[in-house]
């Protein structure tokens, strides 16, 4: 912990900070500059928030030296994590892996049709929600277990893995029976009971960034799952809420290289929720792969104009084929395959 004292900080104030750090088992190194006294505290930073020292009299600023997350930090696994599935698909390796499908499972013909389309275009996973976190309680809430059954059958018929959202810790056991990757949605990124329970799951977890979450908060949420013993966590940038209203969310592409530096966990990108507009999905998908995303989550629907959720951001199947064809050109330019 680095504490910079105010220019006129008194000896008593400086000693107050030193005493506090010593009490918390830090060893303190004092450097007296011409203007500021700087205190370097070496010790258990995880137990202390910079804010606790920031508010002490005479303190100008305070900074952590180590990150508040340990298991999610790049240093914990410098070579990077690769999440491998039983069929050999690997997320976090050289291959960019695409998960595609509708926002929600709506019917057997819908999910069968889209599974065929996305598999043919080269997706490795089908995405679709059976439990939907909708802003309005009057909107379509998903088909529940019936939806999961249809989703699994469609995936099996076309050799796809399944990713689907778990909204609550009581649903984990049910979802585990049908899916290969458990999705935690943006609204649940800080549902700590859910994250803790997922730490005990044998299935990998796709953790989406909350709509108002910082990258540090995303990594701390991942830390909950990792600290429970589940090391198969994939992060997902899906856009955050800003003052911009033209797009549904603001897709924070810079989060991709930032996460790559801070963490060993793979990161996917969701240009569908990231923009909310079908015509913006292709350019942002291209950009995400160029920025280093390990995979994409893309909404595709056989008939988006009649979709029960997120139709405006869902691609038509032929647009998805174009997207995949373009990504096959971009991936090798950034040393990836697809
Ligand atoms: C989804 O993937 O359909 C979804 C609800 O995403 P998010 O949680 O990112 O809004
Ligand atoms: Mn959606």
């Amino acid at each position: 912990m680095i504490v910079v004292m105010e220019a006129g900080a008194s000896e008593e104030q400086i000693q107050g900070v030193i005493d506090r750090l010593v009490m918390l088992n830090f060893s303190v190194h004092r450097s007296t500059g011409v203007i500021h006294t700087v205190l370097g505290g070496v010790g258990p930073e995880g137990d202390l928030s910079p804010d606790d020292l920031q508010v002490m009299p005479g303190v100008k600023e305070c900074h952590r030296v180590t990150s508040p997350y340990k298991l999610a930090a790049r240093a914990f696994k410098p070579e990077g994590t690769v999440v491998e599935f039983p069929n050999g698909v690997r997320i976090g390796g050289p291959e960019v892996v695409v998960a595609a499908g509708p926002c929600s499972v709506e019917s057997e013909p819908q999910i069968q049709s889209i599974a065929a389309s996305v598999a043919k275009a080269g997706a490795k996973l089908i995405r679709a929600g059976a439990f939907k976190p909708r802003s309005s309680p009057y909107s379509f809430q998903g088909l529940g277990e019936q939806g999961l059954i249809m989703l699994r059958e469609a995936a099996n018929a076309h050799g796809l893995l399944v990713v689907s959202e778990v909204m609550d810790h009581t649903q984990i056991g049910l979802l585990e029976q049908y899916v290969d990757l458990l999705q935690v949605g943006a609204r649940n990124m800080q549902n700590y009971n859910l994250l803790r329970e997922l730490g005990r799951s044998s299935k990998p977890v796709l953790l989406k960034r909350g709509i108002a979450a910082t990258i540090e908060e995303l990594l701390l949420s991942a830390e909950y799952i990792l600290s429970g013993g589940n090391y198969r966590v994939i992060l997902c940038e899906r856009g955050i809420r800003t003052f911009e209203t033209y797009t549904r969310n603001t897709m924070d592409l810079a989060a991709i290289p930032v996460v790559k530096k801070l963490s060993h966990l793979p990161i996917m990108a969701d240009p569908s929720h990231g923009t909310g507009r079908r015509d913006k999905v292709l350019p942002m998908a291209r950009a995400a792969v160029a920025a280093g995303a390990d995979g994409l989550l893309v909404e595709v629907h056989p008939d988006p104009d009649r979709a029960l959720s997120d139709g405006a951001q869902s691609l038509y199947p032929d647009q998805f084929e174009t997207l995949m064809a373009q990504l096959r050109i971009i991936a090798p330019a950034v040393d990836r395959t697809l």
Side-chain angles (χ1 to χ4, degrees):
M1 196 71 78
I2 302 289
V3 185
V4 182
M5 302 300 296
E6 296 281 7
S10 67
E11 191 53 38
E12 194 187 347
Q13 290 171 333
I14 295 169
Q15 198 53 50
V17 176
I18 294 173
D19 291 347
R20 177 82 182 267
L21 285 166
V22 169
M23 195 184 82
L24 291 164
N25 294 322
F26 281 78
S27 63
V28 183
H29 305 262
R30 178 174 175 163
S31 152
T32 310
V34 182
I35 302 173
H36 297 285
T37 292
V38 177
L39 304 173
V42 181
E45 284 199 335
D47 299 346
L48 182 63
S49 157
D51 293 340
D52 294 338
L53 297 174
Q54 194 99 56
V55 294
M56 291 185 72
V59 172
K60 179 168 181 282
E61 54 199 71
C62 179
H63 306 279
R64 226 188 257 285
V65 178
T66 56
S67 58
Y69 42 84
K70 302 285 173 235
L71 305 175
R74 171 62 71 172
F76 185 70
K77 206 173 178 200
E79 71 279 18
T81 284
V82 178
V83 174
E84 186 158 0
F85 295 87
N87 70 349
V89 169
R90 293 155 63 88
I91 300 181
E95 187 180 350
V96 176
V97 176
V98 178
C103 182
S104 310
V105 187
E106 298 170 5
S107 69
E108 184 113 33
Q110 175 238 20
I111 203 71
Q112 284 288 346
S113 155
I114 208 65
S117 306
V118 302
K120 182 166 162 275
K124 295 286 160 54
L125 297 93
I126 184 165
R127 62 134 298 144
F131 295 98
K132 294 305 300 178
R134 306 304 302 279
S135 301
S136 164
Y138 308 117
S139 301
F140 175 62
Q141 304 285 309
L143 296 182
E145 185 169 8
Q146 280 313 307
L148 291 174
I149 293 169
M150 292 176 200
L151 181 57
R152 184 76 255 174
E153 282 175 0
N156 289 350
H158 298 280
L160 295 164
L161 295 164
V162 169
V163 53
S164 196
E165 178 161 353
V166 54
M167 280 177 59
D168 184 87
H169 67 97
T170 59
Q171 295 169 348
I172 295 176
L174 177 67
L175 267 287
E176 282 174 339
Q177 294 171 42
Y178 298 101
V179 314
D180 303 288
L181 177 60
L182 292 160
Q183 175 174 324
V184 175
R187 291 157 192 80
N188 267 318
M189 189 204 85
Q190 289 178 311
N191 179 340
Y192 300 119
N193 283 336
L194 175 61
L195 301 178
R196 263 190 217 289
E197 285 299 322
L198 289 169
R200 286 193 268 272
S201 177
S202 58
K203 299 279 180 177
V205 177
L206 179 69
L207 178 64
K208 298 187 87 174
R209 183 177 180 183
I211 60 170
T214 63
I215 293 170
E216 183 168 295
E217 286 165 340
L218 172 64
L219 295 174
L220 281 167
S221 289
E223 188 85 5
Y224 267 88
I225 305 170
L226 299 168
S227 63
N230 186 351
Y231 294 111
R232 297 164 79 209
V233 177
I234 301 161
L235 306 170
C236 183
E237 165 58 39
R238 50 78 73 203
I240 49 175
R241 185 163 287 180
T242 68
F243 51 81
E244 180 54 67
T245 54
Y246 187 81
T247 49
R248 180 179 178 184
N249 291 292
T250 297
M251 185 134 177
D252 182 10
L253 280 178
I256 296 167
V258 171
V259 163
K260 287 265 159 218
K261 184 174 164 63
L262 296 178
S263 179
H264 56 87
L265 297 172
I267 179 160
M268 295 178 76
D270 173 351
S272 308
H273 294 85
T275 62
R277 299 174 56 124
R278 186 180 305 141
D279 60 333
K280 302 291 177 272
V281 171
L282 256 86
M284 295 313 277
R286 295 192 294 249
V289 170
D294 295 300
L296 293 179
L297 195 65
V298 184
E299 288 188 339
V300 192
H301 194 287
D303 188 2
D305 302 315
R306 287 194 184 76
L308 296 183
S309 59
D310 287 350
Q313 67 193 32
S314 298
L315 297 182
Y316 290 90
D318 64 322
Q319 290 180 309
F320 181 64
E321 270 182 49
T322 304
L323 178 148
M324 293 298 283
Q326 293 185 350
L327 296 186
R328 276 188 202 102
I329 298 167
I330 293 170
V334 289
D335 300 325
R336 305 296 289 260
T337 58
L338 191 122

